[in-house]
Amino acid sequence: MLRYVTTNPGKVREAERYLPDGSVERLDFDYTEIQADGLGPIAARGAREAYRHAGEPVLVDDAGLFVEGLDGFPGPYSSYVEETLGVERVHEIAAGLDDRRAAFRCTLGYCDGEGFAASPDPVDRGDRDAAAAAGPDGEGVADDGAGESDGDGAGESNADGAGESTDALPVKLFEGYVPGRIVAPRGDGGFGYDPIFEHDGETFAEMDTDRKNAVSHRGRALEKFAEWYADR
Ligand code: ITT
């Protein structure tokens, strides 16, 4: 059974459309969200922690809203900003900007304790520092050997460093992106920043789940994941 690791039921509603019936179940586990510039290291670290907790295959979903005119803020801090400022304040701040373009990004981190064969999607090993510390033999470091691809390396990181144990597990990352712009809140559907994110004339909160999935950051990442996972 695949466990979709999130405290947010809205994410699971979207994810279920991409995976065979009964093949995925939510794991309501609040993994440590490290501070990092990108979503990849957060998802990778979370997937390792969740896999160690659950002992079965896990998929962690880290997402964020990146506002162009704010140099990508709130980005990886989207959750904290939603809780503290709130979505309407983010719209008010963006309303004062010349550039209200924005994007949602989603990174899925998959971990099942095994290694990965080559594919275009990056793998986060999280073990570079650990391997260096362990010496040339890399003793105690999980590695599944040759024939793997890190893609362009963009998703790869061990930025968190501290607390990452030497038996760091590889995590496969799947990324999705959707462009749009920040508008005054409209619509009752979705969750989080959906009411203030407009894509093709509609906010995500005005779309039903299937329509949002067809264009969204999470839909794009899930599509890649589901295709790859079918052969896993
Ligand atoms: P988990 O970490 O437990 O999965 P979360 O809701 O905190 O739950 P994220 O850290 O990935 O998930 O989300 C960061 C913020 O972005 C958070 O405020 C979400 O509500 C928001 N968010 C994520 N995906 C979104 C989406 O598809 N539409 C609107 N807002 C979204």
Side-chain angles (χ1 to χ4, degrees):
M1 173 73 76
L2 174 65
R3 305 295 230 122
Y4 205 93
V5 185
T6 180
T7 60
N8 183 337
K11 289 182 174 181
V12 187
R13 269 196 301 279
E14 294 175 11
E16 279 169 349
R17 312 285 174 119
Y18 287 87
L19 298 161
D21 273 357
S23 67
V24 62
E25 200 169 280
R26 179 158 83 106
L27 175 62
D28 188 348
F29 174 64
D30 204 6
Y31 57 86
T32 315
E33 287 210 12
I34 57 161
Q35 282 208 345
D37 292 339
L39 303 177
I42 301 172
R45 175 65 186 266
R48 276 182 204 109
E49 193 180 325
Y51 175 74
R52 290 198 174 102
H53 170 80
E56 53 187 339
V58 294
L59 193 61
V60 159
D61 171 328
D62 198 46
L65 177 70
F66 295 72
V67 181
E68 290 273 338
L70 298 174
D71 296 333
F73 188 80
Y77 308 103
S78 295
S79 200
Y80 178 72
V81 168
E82 188 190 338
E83 278 164 28
T84 51
L85 289 183
V87 169
E88 297 224 1
R89 279 285 283 143
V90 173
H91 156 251
E92 284 163 20
I93 293 164
L97 301 171
D98 291 333
D99 187 354
R100 292 174 209 167
R101 285 175 304 157
F104 267 127
R105 293 178 186 278
C106 174
T107 298
L108 300 174
Y110 173 83
C111 182
D112 62 12
E114 304 291 327
F116 302 107
S119 90
D121 304 294
V123 173
D124 183 305
R125 306 207 177 282
D127 60 358
R128 298 284 156 102
D129 290 348
D137 295 330
E139 204 183 323
V141 176
D143 198 348
D144 46 333
E148 292 173 354
S149 166
D150 290 334
D152 59 6
E156 191 181 288
S157 170
N158 48 20
D160 49 320
E164 192 78 73
S165 74
T166 51
D167 58 350
L169 299 162
V171 175
K172 189 97 170 160
L173 301 175
F174 302 86
E175 294 163 351
Y177 162 93
V178 60
R181 65 183 187 115
I182 304 299
V183 296
R186 295 196 322 257
D188 303 321
F191 61 90
Y193 295 95
D194 282 346
I196 64 164
F197 184 82
E198 187 189 72
H199 175 84
D200 257 357
E202 271 182 300
T203 68
F204 271 6
E206 291 176 312
M207 300 179 185
D208 63 22
T209 301
D210 286 340
R211 168 91 185 103
K212 179 182 169 187
N213 268 346
V215 294
S216 80
H217 50 312
R218 180 161 301 102
R220 304 287 62 69
L222 281 162
E223 207 166 46
K224 291 184 205 172
F225 171 74
E227 192 184 331
W228 174 83
Y229 190 60
D231 290 334
R232 183 68 171 172

